[in-house]
Amino acid sequence: GNVIVDTQNGNYILVSGAYPVEEFVNAINEYKNGTENYVAGGDQVKALVEDMLKSTPIRGDKNARFTIIEYTELLCPYCQRHSQEWTINSVMAEFPWEVNSVSRHFIIHGDEALQLASAMECVAELNPDAYHKTFEEAFAKWL
């Protein structure tokens, strides 16, 4: 699942699944035009995302207006498809300087998935710049 957060005010949109690029692009455009339904997260969500951006490897501009929080697991076939279709990267290309993204682990396939997530966190700690490339390569390798 994914959450698109407006970092200016904490409002957010849920995109619950491995949807194609168009779903994300439409949601952001509709939000910017005032027609997308969103949850008013306010200062609490805004602060949460600010803290996440300080401690998590980020793809894209750190000062972007929108942050996509991608909840994923390396053993999930839907997450793999989402990664291999370059969905989040494509959304970021559609909105240069307006969208960044972070990945969070959502473990559903047990111990092996947890071990892979732990290994990815080690990569993040040792070399944050390599994290997203390693994540994408891991999807290709583990499924």
Side-chain angles (χ1 to χ4, degrees):
N2 306 275
V3 181
I4 303 170
V5 180
D6 182 339
T7 59
Q8 294 176 349
N9 56 29
N11 293 341
Y12 62 92
I13 304 162
L14 300 175
V15 181
S16 59
Y19 286 99
V21 173
E22 295 79 27
E23 290 290 326
F24 291 86
V25 171
N26 290 341
I28 292 170
N29 281 329
E30 289 175 6
Y31 175 84
K32 288 167 64 174
N33 293 329
T35 57
E36 170 66 49
N37 291 325
Y38 63 88
V39 177
D43 291 339
Q44 191 172 24
V45 170
K46 183 179 174 187
L48 178 70
V49 172
E50 287 171 356
D51 287 345
M52 187 184 305
L53 293 176
K54 291 176 189 172
S55 63
T56 303
I58 302 167
R59 283 188 285 188
D61 184 350
K62 292 180 183 189
N63 297 312
R65 177 178 177 186
F66 297 99
T67 294
I68 299 174
I69 306 168
E70 180 181 28
Y71 291 91
T72 190
E73 182 197 270
L74 287 169
L75 294 181
C76 171
Y78 299 104
C79 297
Q80 179 193 33
R81 185 189 76 217
H82 201 237
S83 176
Q84 290 176 341
E85 291 177 354
W86 296 95
T87 303
I88 300 301
N89 292 341
S90 297
V91 174
M92 291 171 46
E94 183 78 22
F95 299 98
W97 305 284
E98 280 191 279
V99 173
N100 62 32
S101 73
V102 295
S103 295
R104 307 302 276 177
H105 302 286
F106 187 78
I107 307 302
I108 56 174
H109 288 100
D111 288 342
E112 186 178 4
L114 182 59
Q115 290 171 2
L116 291 170
S118 296
M120 288 306 306
E121 291 306 304
C122 289
V123 171
E125 191 173 312
L126 295 172
N127 188 354
D129 294 334
Y131 179 80
H132 292 287
K133 184 175 182 355
T134 305
F135 210 94
E136 290 164 358
E137 290 172 355
F139 269 121
K141 187 174 203 167
W142 293 109
L143 283 174

